[in-house]
Amino acid sequence: MSFFGLECGRQGHREEERRLKANDRDYNLSFKYATNAIKTSKYNLLTFLPLNLFEQFQRIANAYFLILLVLQVIPAISSLSWFTTVVPLVLVLSVTAAKDAIDDLHRHRSDRKVNNRKVQVLINGELRSEKWMDIQVGDIIKLENNQFVTADLLLLSSSEPLNLVYIETAELDGETNLKVKQALPITGDMADSVTDLAAFNGEVRCEPPNNRLDRFTGTLSYAGQRYSLDNEKILLRGCTLRNTEWCFGLVIFGGQETKLMQNCGKTTFKRTSIDRLMNELVLCIFGFLATMCSILAIGNYIWEVQEGSKFTVFLPREEGVNAALSPFLTFWSYVIILNTVVPISLYVSVEIIRLGNSFFIEWDSKMYHAGSDTPAEARTTTLNEELGQIKYIFSDKTGTLTQNIMTFNKCSINGKCYGDVIDYTGQRFEITEEMESVDFSFNPLADPKFRFHDHSLVEQVKLENAEVHTFFRLLALCHTVMAEEKSEGELHYQAQSPDEGALVTAARNFGFVFRSRTPESVAIEEMGVHRVYELLAILDFNNVRKRMSVIVRSPEGKLSLYCKGADTIIYERLHQSCGKLMDVTIEHLNEYAGEGLRTLALAYKDLDEAYFTEWKQRHHEASTALDDREERLNELYEEIEKELMLLGATAIEDKLQDGVPHTIEQLAKADIKIWVLTGDKQETAENIGYSCNMLREEMNEIFIVAAHSPEGVREELRKARTTMKPGDEEEDKFVSKTILGNIPKIIPDEAVSGEYGLVINGHSLAYALEPSMELEFLRTACMCKTVICCRVTPLQKAQVVELVKRYKRAVTLAIGDGANDVSMIKAAHIGVGISGQEGMQAVLASDFSFAQFRFLQRLLLVHGRWSYLRMCNFLRYFFYKNFSFTFVHFWYAFFCGFSAQTVYDEWFITLFNLVYTALPVLGMSLFDQDVSDSWSFEYPQLYVPGQRNLYFSKTAFMKCAVHSGYCSLVLFFVPYGALYDTVRNDGKDMADYQSFTLLVQTCLVIAVCIQLGLDMSYWTIVNHIFVWGSLAMYFVITFAMYSNGMYRIFPASFPFIGSARSSLGQPCVWLTILLTSILCALPVLTHHFLLIQLQPTINDKVRLKVLQAKAAPPPPPKRTRMRRTSSRRSGYAFSHAQGYGDLVTSRRYLHRPPVKPRSGGFTPTGRSLAAFNPAGRSAGYSPTGRNQNPKQEVQPTSLQMYRTRDMDF
């Protein structure tokens, strides 16, 4: 049994090691490995009915109504027909089952669509097209460009040189940048030879199925040799093959055993906190019902003993019934009569309200994303009100908060900052999408998607500013990007990271176009001149160096080293003559960091030929050494990367999705805590934290937990907690709380002074989630305003969510867009999927989905809050209405000899909840709102009462019961007193049972409608129609049923002949109705008035502001661009992964020969201004005729002294 209970491997015992042979199905089938079919649905034809009914009868009320149905078929105790219970019960079960069946049918269709995809499989020496579901472990399959990877494969060969393939992992982690995988040379030599592949009989031994996306260990035995296998040779299901014509792979894991499915988690039945509270309340109501029935049964016994014998003369008892048995039968009779304290119509109404609010979410045009034609979708209709109680949000980063699109935003060259747009007063313009960008039409190889707004930089390029040219030359040469030119002039860059692609694209647009590379050279086009630089060495990125360098020889024979990296690292290696330039550049870096941009410093160095020859020899010896190879190479790198000349710095924006900072700001004001759980590196996650305003310089402190041992992690957590709350005791603080016999430990919220942030690494989080330390971690994290967990696995994401669910009395929401977020989405109370380019795995597992993170604030602050408010108002009113209705029976029992006679007409009992009061309460529950959506955004604090369960709780329920008890006393005793010894206008007695019943019924219907009007804040035309229409319907039906005609047709069913006409024509009856209504409403009005005056809630205060503003919409929120002043620089180099420079210099061509380069629209006749004919709009452009960058001017630097004037450009 695998993670989250998914079936995998052999059913009898846990798989310890996977063994398989290529092209040997008989051998592999003996292990009973899973096929490649997947299953994400919950039910099938056989299990649907029992499993769905089991889930539904977890609602105690449903089980209660089933027991009640059994009682009603016993004639001796039932005074109501059995169909009054069975019809609504079957209706509720059927509606819920149909909804669940439709949801699961969508999952079945999705599974079928995936399982029936076709792929080419090598069977019996030939390629056949087979369905994905029929693929077996050990099969060899062929994938073609842009195909999804069918299963977890061992890459055997590919169409690309060096047996490389390029894959997109958007389905797994939401990242759209391409990643490189490489096959073993021994299998790569088979290429696409079907004969060789069919003869391949290698045996693989590897780890069993698991959920680790970033690790794989195994060995391949073939031709008497053993070869080590790692994650770089594995293609995971869910990836997409890109820019690779074809590849062959050996199936290692299939279906449910693939790493993608191992991370999906098990589909669970989710219930809202109100559902759980309702279960507790229903138990309390059962106890109260049993108490009432016991009291009435005891009263019946006393009455039978003292008074019953006097009535037996004209009302004989049934045979076998005596004074001792009568109380027992009376108890069960009253259980049936008083069952309306928990009416089945409550659950019918709840389902209708949830369905209606789900439609409101899907119909909301403000949550529709036109760019991707994606509306919001409520994939689960049972969790709406939970959206109004969220306390913790767990969010993925890539693709959820960010677009994973890097853009070249600004740069600093030789002390001048470029990228801002300055007006004639020297003030900066805020750059918007509508602002005119630089025209790059003078460059036919420019990327049309690239946008830059500072015209002065392109002017400097055209004026042949040496520092600017050297700057972009460095960007065009110092990288490991691979270029693909499918047609002449149509360039596509395959970058190791989006940052690298953005930098190379920027150089391309400014006239330094990277065209192609070989292991020995890099070809670029400089201002229209094709130049080939000899590539002598690549000093690649790694986690320690945080920089990258290339050593190249220009066509003129000049040796140069170009270096880019983290500014702190580069500054340590600069020549002392760069001091003044360093000071100016550091100011620019601080400014960029203050805007949350990812920065990089650039430097270069000219090399002596003799020195480099000697260094190259030592480099060759170190690279071939058997011992201490890495250390020796690092020493050589350190030696040559010294005395560098500073060129400047770049600033790249990791583009956030629209509205992310504002959304996070609004959610924070609503007292919602956001935790970011990302697989990215710490530096990258911190950058986004600052960009989103989750981390701010104004915070008291941001704690970094990065220890590599349990003791170190514990110490760092305790140190952080002590800093936030000095003198805090070490013992665990719990609040015991018993729920249905379970005793979970609840950690209370701990107040701290100030705001803090916590950043914890994946390896530290692994220790923090151990049972001995998880509470330490949780207490510390919950004291922080923001928590960012970096380098986390999908399993750890789910574990963090489960930890908060287990120990915090809070509702959680998880939001993500990739397959690595599925387990987290399923673990949280509410799962939200971001639908878009990154695949549909997260959406399929989610409860709600939409296209942009910014829609989350509308989902929670508007729809969630309204849904919760409406549901709570509905429950409070419904319990009030039905308790008032039922308690009148209780008081009447003392006046009818505890005979289980109903105080109401049987038709009234049937129609009260279904006709007379159904539509008004549904209208309130679907359309009511305390304030409009714009005011909800203006005051996010309105969300806080929902987190604290202030609208509906056990306390609110008890207040409801007390209020209902008072109203039932008024509804019974005022009409009783009014009719006692009363006569009609003609002198006849009107104190009969039927007149009393009619009066009580009428008072009850009018009183509950008045209460509804007092509870409702927002009247629509629909509400008016429902309320006044229901009152009119009551009188119409009453006069019709109590008419002579109905009595003549059905004399046994309509005995109240003429009661309505007789009673409602008397003035005293209407005065009684008026008095009863006033007495029922007066305490409510008094309570509301005193509460608003003495203890106004946030809702009362905002409603007062609305009235004062005469219902005018609030002013639009100020959304100015936030700038931070910070000394922190967000270095992209810190987040850069280990490069593949070794592949670049492997002495073999990486691609087929490119299309012959052309000069485009340039005229390569030297460095004259006329050489490139600046025909674009930016040529010589200066909007004011003055310097666009009135910044600090600097003296000529060492760069200018070393300017290479003799180069032939």
Side-chain angles (χ1 to χ4, degrees):
M1 188 68 68
S2 66
F3 174 55
F4 283 128
L6 291 173
E7 293 184 357
C8 75
R10 286 157 286 186
Q11 303 298 313
H13 61 279
R14 184 179 180 87
E15 185 178 347
E16 298 295 336
E17 181 188 52
R18 171 140 302 196
R19 298 179 61 182
L20 61 103
K21 289 182 180 179
N23 296 312
D24 193 342
R25 280 196 170 187
D26 294 336
Y27 175 81
N28 299 324
L29 286 172
S30 66
F31 294 98
K32 299 181 180 178
Y33 295 138
T35 64
N36 202 42
I38 63 166
K39 176 178 176 292
T40 61
S41 55
K42 292 168 60 177
Y43 314 110
N44 57 40
L45 288 176
L46 294 178
T47 63
F48 173 73
L49 193 61
L51 190 56
N52 188 263
L53 288 177
F54 171 75
E55 290 176 348
Q56 292 201 59
F57 280 111
Q58 289 185 35
R59 283 181 175 169
I60 298 175
N62 286 346
Y64 161 69
F65 289 119
L66 185 62
I67 296 171
L68 195 66
L69 177 62
V70 174
L71 293 176
Q72 282 188 309
V73 299
I74 303 174
I77 62 175
S78 178
S79 57
L80 295 174
S81 301
W82 61 270
F83 61 81
T84 59
T85 296
V86 72
V87 172
L89 178 60
V90 170
L91 179 64
V92 169
L93 297 177
S94 301
V95 169
T96 306
K99 180 174 59 62
D100 292 341
I102 291 172
D103 289 343
D104 207 56
L105 189 60
H106 289 311
R107 299 189 188 98
H108 274 286
R109 287 174 179 169
S110 173
D111 292 345
R112 222 172 10 248
K113 181 179 178 182
V114 172
N115 288 333
N116 288 323
R117 287 174 179 168
K118 293 297 186 70
V119 69
Q120 294 186 72
V121 188
L122 188 61
I123 300 177
N124 297 328
E126 63 178 357
L127 287 172
R128 299 179 186 174
S129 180
E130 296 284 341
K131 295 179 180 178
W132 277 27
M133 60 190 298
D134 297 328
I135 302 301
Q136 302 285 343
V137 170
D139 287 350
I140 293 178
I141 63 177
K142 179 183 180 180
L143 298 177
E144 295 180 343
N145 194 31
N146 297 324
Q147 274 191 335
F148 285 107
V149 177
T150 309
D152 288 355
L153 308 176
L154 169 63
L155 180 61
L156 297 178
S157 62
S158 84
S159 59
E160 299 301 295
L162 301 182
N163 297 308
L164 298 177
V165 297
Y166 303 98
I167 58 170
E168 183 183 277
T169 59
E171 284 274 1
L172 294 176
D173 53 21
E175 295 185 4
T176 54
N177 55 293
L178 300 183
K179 296 177 175 60
V180 178
K181 302 287 184 177
Q182 186 176 26
L184 289 168
I186 187 67
T187 60
D189 292 340
M190 293 186 292
D192 59 347
S193 171
V194 173
T195 304
D196 292 345
L197 289 165
F200 179 66
N201 61 353
E203 181 177 1
V204 174
R205 292 193 176 191
C206 65
E207 61 189 23
N210 60 77
N211 63 340
R212 290 291 300 270
L213 296 171
D214 58 345
R215 188 190 68 185
F216 181 85
T217 56
T219 59
L220 169 67
S221 300
Y222 178 59
Q225 299 290 326
R226 294 184 64 189
Y227 304 90
S228 175
L229 303 178
D230 56 25
N231 203 46
E232 296 305 311
K233 299 171 181 62
I234 301 297
L235 306 183
L236 298 182
R237 179 178 180 139
C239 298
T240 307
L241 193 67
R242 299 292 191 199
N243 300 326
T244 305
E245 187 177 338
W246 53 260
C247 74
F248 285 87
L250 173 68
V251 177
I252 303 295
F253 302 122
Q256 301 291 148
E257 295 177 346
T258 59
K259 292 179 182 286
L260 172 67
M261 296 305 297
Q262 293 278 293
N263 278 288
C264 281
K266 186 177 181 180
T267 302
T268 57
F269 179 64
K270 293 184 178 182
R271 292 186 298 164
T272 67
S273 56
I274 284 186
D275 277 337
R276 293 188 290 271
L277 176 61
M278 284 291 296
N279 271 353
E280 296 181 50
L281 293 180
V282 167
L283 285 177
C284 297
I285 291 172
F286 289 163
F288 183 60
L289 176 63
T291 302
M292 286 196 299
C293 294
S294 299
I295 292 172
L296 297 179
I298 294 170
N300 176 265
Y301 175 77
I302 296 172
W303 188 89
E304 287 285 352
V305 170
Q306 296 181 356
E307 305 290 339
S309 57
K310 301 176 183 178
F311 289 84
T312 55
V313 176
F314 58 89
L315 190 64
R317 294 190 177 101
E318 294 182 15
E319 185 178 350
V321 177
N322 52 36
L325 181 60
S326 180
F328 175 77
L329 298 178
T330 300
F331 175 88
W332 293 109
S333 295
Y334 272 114
V335 167
I336 296 173
I337 289 174
L338 302 179
N339 79 83
T340 47
V341 288
V342 189
I344 189 69
S345 59
L346 170 68
Y347 289 94
V348 178
S349 302
V350 165
E351 293 299 327
I352 293 173
I353 292 166
R354 286 173 171 168
L355 185 63
N357 285 315
S358 297
F359 283 136
F360 291 152
I361 293 173
E362 296 185 345
W363 293 339
D364 191 345
S365 60
K366 294 181 180 178
M367 295 177 67
Y368 169 75
H369 187 243
S372 59
D373 189 26
T374 305
E377 183 181 4
R379 297 175 53 82
T380 302
T381 59
T382 57
L383 302 173
N384 299 327
E385 66 270 16
E386 198 93 318
L387 292 170
Q389 298 182 276
I390 303 299
K391 182 65 177 178
Y392 290 90
I393 293 177
F394 301 92
S395 175
D396 179 39
K397 181 194 75 70
T398 305
T400 303
L401 298 177
T402 68
Q403 302 177 36
N404 199 35
I405 298 174
M406 306 297 177
T407 58
F408 184 82
N409 194 293
K410 296 181 181 180
C411 63
S412 172
I413 306 176
N414 194 34
K416 290 186 179 181
C417 178
Y418 299 95
D420 290 319
V421 178
I422 311 297
D423 65 10
Y424 67 93
T425 64
Q427 298 297 315
R428 295 182 187 177
F429 279 119
E430 183 174 352
I431 295 175
T432 62
E433 291 293 328
E434 294 76 22
M435 184 173 292
E436 184 181 22
S437 60
V438 172
D439 184 2
F440 290 104
S441 60
F442 71 93
N443 180 1
L445 294 176
D447 185 347
K449 298 178 182 178
F450 182 83
R451 292 175 63 85
F452 199 77
H453 297 85
D454 187 352
H455 296 263
S456 62
L457 183 55
V458 79
E459 288 180 34
Q460 295 300 316
V461 172
K462 292 178 179 180
L463 294 173
E464 303 184 49
N465 183 299
E467 294 83 4
V468 173
H469 277 211
T470 307
F471 180 91
F472 286 115
R473 185 180 298 112
L474 185 152
L475 294 181
L477 293 171
C478 186
H479 57 78
T480 55
V481 172
M482 299 181 187
E484 184 175 12
E485 193 167 359
K486 294 185 177 180
S487 61
E488 189 174 358
E490 185 182 346
L491 285 170
H492 295 276
Y493 292 147
Q494 299 166 357
Q496 181 185 4
S497 71
D499 308 72
E500 286 240 271
L503 294 173
V504 177
T505 300
R508 167 185 175 180
N509 275 62
F510 283 100
F512 289 75
V513 185
F514 167 60
R515 297 297 297 263
S516 63
R517 69 161 70 247
T518 70
E520 293 101 0
S521 66
V522 176
I524 67 175
E525 198 158 305
E526 297 183 4
M527 304 307 292
V529 181
H530 184 72
R531 295 169 60 84
V532 178
Y533 287 80
E534 184 181 357
L535 182 61
L536 301 174
I538 293 181
L539 286 55
D540 208 356
F541 270 112
N542 63 36
N543 293 332
V544 178
R545 284 170 43 76
K546 299 181 178 62
R547 65 189 184 277
M548 172 192 180
S549 298
V550 294
I551 301 175
V552 296
R553 191 191 308 275
S554 72
E556 296 76 26
K558 190 174 185 63
L559 278 176
S560 299
L561 179 147
Y562 293 109
C563 182
K564 66 181 181 184
D567 53 275
T568 52
I569 303 296
I570 298 296
Y571 270 43
E572 295 172 357
R573 291 160 175 77
L574 293 178
H575 192 274
Q576 59 183 4
S577 64
C578 299
K580 189 171 290 188
L581 180 58
M582 290 168 62
D583 295 338
V584 179
T585 306
I586 207 76
E587 291 180 13
H588 296 163
L589 286 166
N590 289 339
E591 181 183 330
Y592 301 156
E595 298 175 20
L597 303 177
R598 299 156 66 92
T599 59
L600 209 60
L602 310 183
Y604 90 111
K605 176 182 181 180
D606 290 330
L607 297 177
D608 177 73
E609 187 73 43
Y611 167 75
F612 175 73
T613 303
E614 186 265 337
W615 181 90
K616 184 70 174 177
Q617 177 62 32
R618 287 187 288 136
H619 178 269
H620 176 73
E621 294 172 358
S623 62
T624 56
L626 298 178
D627 300 323
D628 303 324
R629 179 185 303 173
E630 292 297 327
E631 291 78 4
R632 293 177 61 181
L633 286 174
N634 284 332
E635 289 177 5
L636 286 171
Y637 294 165
E638 288 287 338
E639 175 189 324
I640 200 169
E641 291 174 326
K642 288 182 179 179
E643 305 296 321
L644 303 176
M645 298 302 175
L646 181 62
L647 270 172
T650 61
I652 292 178
E653 181 182 5
D654 186 356
K655 290 185 72 69
L656 297 173
Q657 289 192 10
D658 293 339
V660 167
H662 178 67
T663 299
I664 289 175
E665 180 184 359
Q666 288 287 89
L667 296 176
K669 288 179 181 177
D671 199 27
I672 298 175
K673 295 186 176 181
I674 302 179
W675 293 19
V676 175
L677 311 178
T678 176
D680 279 337
K681 294 181 181 294
Q682 175 183 324
E683 184 73 15
T684 308
E686 285 186 56
N687 294 340
I688 297 302
Y690 279 100
S691 300
C692 296
N693 299 324
M694 296 174 61
L695 299 177
R696 299 185 302 278
E697 291 296 325
E698 296 77 25
M699 284 184 165
N700 297 60
E701 190 169 347
I702 296 173
F703 304 106
I704 307 294
V705 178
H708 291 266
S709 66
E711 297 76 15
V713 173
R714 189 186 301 274
E715 182 61 32
E716 290 183 357
L717 290 173
R718 286 181 175 174
K719 182 179 178 182
R721 197 170 68 252
T722 304
T723 303
M724 291 185 284
K725 197 171 183 181
D728 189 29
E729 298 178 2
E730 289 299 322
E731 68 267 18
D732 294 329
K733 298 179 180 178
F734 296 121
V735 176
S736 294
K737 178 178 174 63
T738 305
I739 301 177
L740 299 178
N742 298 320
I743 309 180
K745 293 180 177 179
I746 304 298
I747 297 181
D749 291 331
E750 301 179 58
V752 297
S753 57
E755 291 187 354
Y756 299 88
L758 176 68
V759 180
I760 183 168
N761 252 318
H763 51 77
S764 300
L765 185 63
Y767 296 120
L769 291 175
E770 291 178 354
S772 61
M773 206 185 307
E774 61 181 11
L775 297 178
E776 192 95 34
F777 165 66
L778 183 63
R779 286 185 60 196
T780 305
C782 290
M783 293 166 74
C784 297
K785 187 76 172 177
T786 298
V787 177
I788 298 178
C789 302
C790 320
R791 279 307 201 191
V792 294
T793 65
L795 174 60
Q796 286 178 326
K797 290 185 178 184
Q799 287 175 332
V800 171
V801 175
E802 291 285 0
L803 180 64
V804 175
K805 283 178 61 179
R806 189 162 57 247
Y807 292 110
K808 299 295 290 185
R809 193 187 294 112
V811 181
T812 60
L813 179 147
I815 179 170
D817 69 319
N820 60 335
D821 303 314
V822 169
S823 57
M824 170 178 74
I825 286 172
K826 289 185 175 181
H829 293 102
I830 300 285
V832 177
I834 300 291
S835 55
Q837 308 174 24
E838 292 80 11
M840 297 295 289
Q841 288 290 334
V843 171
L844 292 175
S846 66
D847 304 305
F848 301 89
S849 68
F850 40 73
Q852 295 275 298
F853 181 85
R854 60 190 164 96
F855 296 142
L856 184 62
Q857 66 171 321
R858 187 166 184 85
L859 182 71
L860 300 187
L861 301 186
V862 177
H863 291 289
R865 197 180 69 82
W866 280 351
S867 295
Y868 175 68
L869 182 65
R870 291 164 179 168
M871 184 62 72
C872 292
N873 288 343
F874 165 78
L875 292 174
R876 288 200 308 269
Y877 175 76
F878 208 95
F879 280 123
Y880 155 78
K881 174 173 68 77
N882 283 278
F883 283 2
S884 299
F885 172 87
T886 306
F887 289 167
V888 174
H889 279 298
F890 183 79
W891 307 126
Y892 182 65
F894 291 89
F895 295 86
C896 70
F898 305 97
S899 60
Q901 182 184 14
T902 60
V903 70
Y904 308 114
D905 172 25
E906 186 171 311
W907 282 105
F908 180 81
I909 295 174
T910 304
L911 298 176
F912 177 71
N913 280 316
L914 294 179
V915 177
Y916 300 149
T917 60
L919 291 180
V921 70
L922 280 179
M924 178 186 73
S925 306
L926 290 174
F927 302 109
D928 193 30
Q929 49 184 260
D930 52 349
V931 295
S932 66
D933 55 349
S934 57
W935 285 97
S936 297
F937 287 135
E938 184 74 6
Y939 294 95
Q941 299 83 356
L942 287 166
Y943 191 82
V944 175
Q947 298 171 330
R948 300 176 182 174
N949 296 307
L950 297 183
Y951 293 145
F952 187 73
S953 61
K954 291 179 181 177
T955 303
F957 174 77
M958 291 304 299
K959 290 178 180 178
C960 243
V962 172
H963 180 207
S964 303
Y966 163 78
C967 287
S968 67
L969 285 169
V970 172
L971 289 167
F972 178 80
F973 285 103
V974 170
Y976 179 82
L979 294 184
Y980 193 77
D981 289 338
T982 300
V983 294
R984 299 190 311 181
N985 292 340
D986 57 5
K988 293 181 180 179
D989 185 18
M990 64 178 297
D992 59 87
Y993 167 72
Q994 292 186 352
S995 298
F996 175 71
T997 294
L998 179 63
L999 180 55
V1000 172
Q1001 291 173 178
T1002 306
C1003 290
L1004 175 64
V1005 170
I1006 293 176
V1008 297
C1009 283
I1010 291 173
Q1011 181 64 42
L1012 180 81
L1014 295 175
D1015 286 347
M1016 196 150 47
S1017 304
Y1018 185 68
W1019 284 80
T1020 66
I1021 186 64
V1022 176
N1023 295 103
H1024 280 288
I1025 292 173
F1026 283 177
V1027 172
W1028 302 114
S1030 295
L1031 281 173
M1033 185 67 67
Y1034 165 73
F1035 286 105
V1036 170
I1037 292 176
T1038 298
F1039 277 101
M1041 288 196 306
Y1042 295 173
S1043 65
N1044 296 350
M1046 294 299 292
Y1047 176 76
R1048 290 193 182 104
I1049 299 172
F1050 304 104
S1053 300
F1054 299 97
F1056 282 54
I1057 178 174
S1059 298
R1061 194 170 56 250
S1062 174
S1063 297
L1064 295 178
Q1066 303 299 314
C1068 64
V1069 170
W1070 288 104
L1071 287 173
T1072 303
I1073 293 172
L1074 178 63
L1075 177 62
T1076 305
S1077 301
I1078 292 173
L1079 290 175
C1080 286
L1082 192 59
V1084 179
L1085 291 170
T1086 305
H1087 178 261
H1088 284 180
F1089 175 78
L1090 293 176
L1091 200 64
I1092 291 173
Q1093 296 301 317
L1094 302 177
Q1095 288 183 327
T1097 63
I1098 179 68
N1099 304 67
D1100 298 327
K1101 294 175 182 178
V1102 174
R1103 275 200 295 263
L1104 179 61
K1105 287 182 178 291
V1106 174
L1107 291 174
Q1108 290 172 344
K1110 296 180 180 180
K1118 296 179 180 179
R1119 297 183 63 176
T1120 57
R1121 185 171 182 179
M1122 298 188 67
R1123 294 178 180 269
R1124 292 186 295 108
T1125 302
S1126 167
S1127 59
R1128 179 185 179 278
R1129 289 172 298 285
S1130 58
Y1132 133 77
F1134 286 90
S1135 61
H1136 200 291
Q1138 173 75 36
Y1140 41 81
D1142 290 342
L1143 288 175
V1144 174
T1145 56
S1146 57
R1147 298 297 171 187
R1148 291 179 62 181
Y1149 284 87
L1150 300 177
H1151 287 281
R1152 295 176 180 82
V1155 178
K1156 184 178 179 180
R1158 64 171 189 171
S1159 298
F1162 299 108
T1163 307
T1165 56
R1167 295 190 54 183
S1168 154
L1169 183 61
F1172 45 90
N1173 187 20
R1177 294 184 58 186
S1178 297
Y1181 176 79
S1182 177
T1184 62
R1186 61 196 294 270
N1187 183 8
Q1188 268 198 305
N1189 295 275
K1191 293 184 176 291
Q1192 179 179 356
E1193 298 290 335
V1194 296
Q1195 298 298 321
T1197 63
S1198 53
L1199 172 64
Q1200 294 167 313
M1201 293 188 292
Y1202 283 85
R1203 176 183 270 178
T1204 54
R1205 298 183 183 274
D1206 56 340
M1207 256 191 197
D1208 180 16
F1209 283 80

